[in-house]
Amino acid sequence: MNAPEKFLGKTAAKPASGAAHFHESARAQVAGSATYVDDIPEVKGTLYAAPILSAVAHGKLKGVDTGAAMAMPGVRAVILPRDIPGDRKFPTFTHDEPIFAMDTVEHIGQVVGIVVADTVMDARRAARKVKLEIEPLPAVLTVKEALKAQSFVLPPVFVRRGDADAGLARAAHRLTGELEVGGQEHFYLEGQVAYALPLEQDQFWIYSSTQHPGEVQHWVAHALGLENNAVTVECRRMGGAFGGKETQAGHLAVWSALAANKLRRPVKLRLDRDDDFMITGKRHPFAYEYTVGFDERGLITGLKLMLAANCGFSADLSGPVADRAVFHADNAYFLSDVEIASYRCKTNTQSHTAFRGFGGPQGMIVIEAILGDIARHLGLDPLQVRKRNLYGIKDRNVTHYQMQVEDNILHPLIDRLEGSANYRARREAIAQWNAHSPVIKRGIALTPVKFGISFTATFFNQAGALVHVYTDGSVQVNHGGTEMGQGLNTKVAQIVADELGIPFERVRCTASDTSKVPNASATAASSGTDLNGRAAQFAARQVRERLASFISQRQHCDPKKVIFAHGQVSSPDAAISWEQLIDDAYKARVQLWSDGFYKTPKIHYDKHTLTGRPFYYFSYGAACSEVAIDTLTGESRLLKVDILHDVGTPINPAIDMGQIEGGFIQGVGWLTTEQLVWDGKGYLATHAPSTYKIPATGDVPEHFNIELWPEPNREDNVFGSKAVGEPPFMLAISVWEALRDAAAAARGGKAGVRMDAPATAETVLRALNA
């Protein structure tokens, strides 16, 4: 493995960006002194809440008996819909999700109310004593059932380019197929938690483990019937999120705030892991049907594709998730004549939500499956077929949603990885192995990624920041982004340090706080650094320009000739330390703080036709994965991984390497071991680590090579960097395709390999014996 340590080491004279600085919280986290919401010292009089959950997937809620719960020791109140002074539904785009179940329950685990007590365990024990009278109704539990019943949270969407029917008619070959891909539990190390403190004059301070403090602020105010300015939300850090705390952290904040409002006492609500599983949404499971036409060389001439997302009982973010799946159904390939139907299915399960990749993985996997099927049908190397269908440089370079691919590096990137991973020789060696190994079969696949960077909702592509320079020369930065372990604050501090020409150690980022930067977008869509880093850079630049103007007036020089670097400020005539300059400027009454604002340029998008330029740029990558399967048990093992990934000019290469490693392994979990199982009554049977299996250290192969593509972003992004949070996740599709390659070898050359995901041992066996 190429360890991040190879990037470590710097001198004070080097710029902060481009160096592998440790994560700004690393030492505190190792020492156990980094503060998460549940670590915040509690105010005297704090109470604790626990949720009351439906045990029925769909039914009429006819009564709630709280008598036994209220008689329990330490219980102070039961909070129900009648205790909501504002709107009884969350202010989502579709306004379809109640704060507490009212007349109807719509999934097992839906929150009907909360119990508030003196201790956590008092609250949890009492919550289980609340008796719900529910009259069961028929439940829709699968995508197929939802399609048959026309049960949707949002209307279907259709995107067409060219003439798919004509493309199929002229094709030399045609295939039809189906595929199902499961969801994924976020499994953040820090569970969902909120702590609500009532203040004077109907104000509230909310500590929330959230990716979107601004939305939490809005939701709490909406539920309490207050203006947004009465609610402040703070988040210093999260212990992981992966999209699961983009909207659904708001639920806990609202529930705890309602209790705090009624009792006028601080209230904390932290879900235990089982309840977290049962209440919160997952990655959207998808089902697919396709008909594809292609020529003798594997070039796609026509494609009809149906994507059906299991959205759960409410829309949440299912609309934009399903849209992004449509946008990424091409992945890296030009589709000349294509017709895509996208269905957003309503089922009686948890309301599924954002998850790393945000629909992109669900779009990409089906086109990779199609290309793998084409290759096996024709008896060709799958990589050969993939390369024939890639976007071109000067032609075949417009997506099915009418965006021109201007920054295409797919061809040289794939060629380089094909060589460095020794793909051809390994494929021949694997064929030799399989010819002589009757039980253990191996497979290999090299798959690319082309992932669009920006929120598809254009108005979210904005950010603000504050930069304060103190009289001792130290700098404090506050921005609208949130730190969830991904290193956003570290990168922002590096950017500000370089903009001011000072050492990285002199810059500190503080907690996300709605009273400092208002209306901030969620930290999501891999755009945290692109947006907040740029806003902080602009704020720092204004401070620097004021200081340059101050020096130019004193020394009668051009302010453009004042240089800030290495903790020194130099003009044509003199040089002084940064600290001395700040002291002089303060005494001369120069403003030493500023705000910065950034909005992403060039993007536009028609949500009705799903056309335009929704993305500022694309991030690219490719992975070559080798696997082995046991044909007797269906067990599989990941043997080797080689990755070449495009991060532009890295701001912090060690952090970027960590994101690539972590994203890839999380993607491997989605496609191999992380199976969500709902039983016939809608009960999530895999609701704990005992039954839900995320990858462990033993699942990481010894051969795990990662290299970075050596080219800056071709768009004007901060310091030439590219987003890195989500794109590496989709590189794991190479593992799933390698498993299908091994299964095809075991089946003796039979063309079709139907292997749903995750490819558990049972799924692999079914694929082998189909």
Side-chain angles (χ1 to χ4, degrees):
M1 180 187 295
N2 290 341
E5 283 79 0
K6 80 176 195 178
F7 296 110
L8 297 177
K10 69 177 186 62
T11 66
K14 290 183 179 179
S17 295
H21 290 279
F22 289 111
H23 189 289
E24 50 92 24
S25 296
R27 290 180 175 85
Q29 287 167 323
V30 170
S33 60
T35 301
Y36 297 86
V37 171
D38 204 31
D39 301 319
I40 295 169
E42 293 167 357
V43 175
K44 183 178 180 180
T46 293
L47 300 173
Y48 305 88
I52 305 162
L53 307 183
S54 168
V56 176
H58 190 206
K60 292 181 180 179
L61 181 59
K62 306 189 79 173
V64 180
D65 182 354
T66 64
M70 288 299 298
M72 296 280 287
V75 174
R76 299 299 180 121
V78 176
I79 310 298
L80 296 169
R82 62 174 178 258
D83 299 305
I84 303 172
D87 192 343
R88 292 187 177 186
K89 290 188 176 181
F90 292 112
T92 60
F93 290 120
T94 49
H95 202 244
D96 64 345
E97 185 174 353
I99 291 173
F100 297 126
M102 293 182 284
D103 301 323
T104 307
V105 295
E106 297 191 84
H107 76 91
I108 294 176
Q110 184 172 5
V111 176
V112 176
I114 58 173
V115 173
V116 185
D118 290 338
T119 71
V120 172
M121 294 314 299
D122 284 347
R124 290 177 179 174
R125 281 190 286 265
R128 285 155 175 77
K129 293 291 185 179
V130 175
K131 297 177 182 178
L132 304 179
E133 183 184 354
I134 300 173
E135 178 184 321
L137 294 171
V140 175
L141 300 176
T142 68
V143 166
K144 288 185 178 179
E145 291 174 2
L147 290 171
K148 184 177 180 180
Q150 297 287 287
S151 174
F152 304 124
V153 296
L154 292 164
V157 169
F158 303 94
V159 174
R160 300 175 179 87
R161 197 256 291 275
D163 189 335
D165 286 321
L168 290 169
R170 69 173 180 269
H173 302 271
R174 289 175 64 162
L175 285 175
T176 61
E178 296 182 0
L179 175 66
E180 291 188 10
V181 175
Q184 187 177 24
E185 165 64 31
H186 299 87
F187 218 105
Y188 20 65
L189 290 180
E190 176 205 29
Q192 297 276 7
V193 59
Y195 184 27
L197 285 75
L199 307 176
E200 63 174 77
Q201 302 180 66
D202 289 326
Q203 297 179 78
F204 288 82
W205 195 282
I206 310 293
Y207 294 101
S208 175
S209 181
T210 176
Q211 295 172 243
H212 200 174
E215 184 168 78
V216 170
Q217 175 194 38
H218 173 52
W219 281 22
V220 169
H222 192 77
L224 295 178
L226 301 172
E227 292 186 318
N228 287 357
N229 64 9
V231 178
T232 300
V233 178
E234 179 180 328
C235 177
R236 173 59 184 90
R237 63 173 60 83
M238 290 164 275
F242 310 115
K245 297 176 180 178
E246 184 171 345
T247 59
Q248 301 205 358
H251 298 71
L252 279 84
V254 168
W255 297 332
S256 59
L258 288 170
N261 179 64
K262 180 175 181 175
L263 299 171
R264 307 311 300 174
R265 297 267 294 273
V267 174
K268 181 188 287 187
L269 173 54
R270 175 176 57 81
L271 299 181
D272 69 17
R273 185 66 67 177
D274 290 88
D275 285 349
D276 204 319
F277 264 84
M278 299 304 292
I279 293 169
T280 62
K282 325 299 177 191
R283 181 185 297 282
H284 290 67
F286 266 62
Y288 312 85
E289 295 176 1
Y290 69 85
T291 300
V292 62
F294 48 97
D295 66 17
E296 292 82 357
R297 301 172 65 242
L299 184 70
I300 293 175
T301 60
L303 174 63
K304 283 190 171 182
L305 177 61
M306 187 279 289
L307 301 83
N310 182 340
C311 302
F313 82 98
S314 69
D316 194 86
L317 293 171
S318 296
V321 166
D323 288 350
R324 189 173 275 264
V326 171
F327 288 139
H328 288 82
D330 61 340
N331 190 13
Y333 311 108
F334 178 76
L335 303 174
S336 60
D337 296 274
V338 61
E339 182 178 306
I340 302 174
S342 172
Y343 296 94
R344 296 94 197 273
C345 299
K346 179 174 181 175
T347 61
N348 293 115
T349 63
Q350 293 84 352
S351 186
H352 299 310
T353 190
F355 200 130
R356 197 176 201 164
F358 202 80
Q362 294 98 313
M364 289 184 188
I365 193 170
V366 66
I367 192 65
E368 294 299 341
I370 290 168
L371 290 168
D373 289 346
I374 290 172
R376 279 180 280 277
H377 179 82
L378 296 173
L380 298 174
D381 182 339
L383 180 57
Q384 198 176 357
V385 173
R386 289 187 166 91
K387 291 172 78 171
R388 282 178 182 151
N389 284 281
L390 288 174
Y391 277 102
I393 304 297
K394 295 183 179 179
D395 59 0
R396 291 172 50 86
N397 64 349
V398 177
T399 68
H400 55 291
Y401 49 91
Q402 306 305 315
M403 176 175 172
Q404 186 171 347
V405 182
E406 299 172 339
D407 56 359
N408 187 354
I409 58 171
L410 287 164
H411 296 265
L413 187 147
I414 291 172
D415 287 346
R416 176 167 166 176
L417 180 62
E418 180 183 353
S420 63
N422 204 18
Y423 172 83
R424 296 291 172 191
R426 285 168 61 186
R427 188 160 192 87
E428 291 178 6
I430 287 169
Q432 291 295 317
W433 167 280
N434 288 336
H436 296 92
S437 175
V439 175
I440 305 298
K441 299 293 184 180
R442 292 187 176 184
I444 190 170
L446 194 160
T447 62
V449 164
K450 174 185 69 67
F451 189 78
I453 303 300
S454 290
F455 288 98
T456 52
T458 303
F459 63 88
F460 281 138
N461 294 285
Q462 58 175 299
L466 297 171
V467 170
H468 297 170
V469 181
Y470 295 96
T471 54
D472 64 351
S474 64
V475 177
Q476 186 184 91
V477 183
N478 189 272
H479 58 83
T482 53
E483 176 62 54
M484 60 196 86
Q486 84 280 37
L488 173 60
N489 283 344
T490 308
K491 287 187 174 183
V492 170
Q494 289 176 271
I495 292 164
V496 169
D498 279 352
E499 194 66 29
L500 297 176
I502 61 176
F504 167 74
E505 292 76 15
R506 302 234 64 191
V507 182
R508 184 184 297 272
C509 289
T510 58
S512 304
D513 184 334
T514 57
S515 67
K516 293 184 177 179
V517 176
N519 312 317
S521 299
T523 305
S526 300
S527 60
T529 301
D530 288 6
L531 294 174
N532 298 286
R534 193 63 130 180
Q537 181 185 31
F538 288 172
R541 185 171 297 171
Q542 291 186 64
V543 172
R544 190 193 71 203
E545 288 174 350
R546 288 194 200 106
L547 293 170
S549 178
F550 169 64
I551 288 179
S552 72
Q553 292 171 13
R554 289 205 312 181
Q555 300 184 9
H556 306 290
C557 66
D558 185 346
K560 294 181 180 178
K561 294 183 178 180
V562 178
I563 306 300
F564 295 74
H566 313 150
Q568 297 285 316
V569 183
S570 306
S571 68
D573 298 324
I576 60 172
S577 70
W578 164 260
E579 290 77 11
Q580 185 61 56
L581 170 61
I582 296 305
D583 185 64
D584 292 349
Y586 169 73
K587 291 173 179 175
R589 298 184 295 177
V590 174
Q591 182 179 331
L592 296 176
W593 64 270
S594 188
D595 62 327
F597 180 79
Y598 175 70
K599 61 179 182 180
T600 308
K602 297 187 177 182
I603 54 176
H604 56 90
Y605 160 57
D606 185 333
K607 67 179 181 180
H608 301 293
T609 62
L610 265 67
T611 59
R613 179 176 178 160
F615 308 121
Y616 186 32
Y617 62 87
F618 293 102
S619 286
Y620 299 93
C624 179
S625 295
E626 183 178 336
V627 303
I629 62 173
D630 185 325
T631 59
L632 300 180
T633 66
E635 294 173 289
S636 65
R637 183 164 185 173
L638 178 56
L639 302 176
K640 294 181 180 181
V641 176
D642 294 273
I643 291 172
L644 179 56
H645 196 67
D646 165 37
V647 298
T649 301
I651 293 171
N652 189 314
I655 285 176
D656 288 352
M657 290 285 284
Q659 288 292 298
I660 295 167
E661 293 168 357
F664 179 85
I665 295 301
Q666 190 175 51
V668 171
W670 171 52
L671 294 173
T672 60
T673 63
E674 297 187 43
Q675 185 177 31
L676 292 163
V677 178
W678 284 269
D679 68 16
K681 294 183 179 180
Y683 176 78
L684 179 62
T686 50
H687 58 80
S690 59
T691 51
Y692 186 81
K693 298 298 184 181
I694 64 173
T697 53
D699 297 304
V700 180
E702 184 176 350
H703 179 108
F704 193 7
N705 292 331
I706 301 173
E707 296 291 340
L708 303 181
W709 179 256
E711 182 182 348
N713 193 334
R714 296 182 188 179
E715 292 293 347
D716 181 21
N717 205 45
V718 59
F719 289 175
S721 65
K722 281 192 174 185
V724 71
E726 292 171 298
F729 182 93
M730 281 73 76
L731 296 172
I733 295 173
S734 61
V735 176
W736 182 73
E737 272 296 286
L739 289 168
R740 295 212 307 150
D741 187 58
R747 285 165 57 86
K750 294 180 183 178
V753 178
R754 167 72 186 268
M755 183 186 290
D756 294 336
T760 61
E762 295 87 348
T763 302
V764 172
L765 276 180
R766 281 194 294 269
L768 292 173
N769 298 315

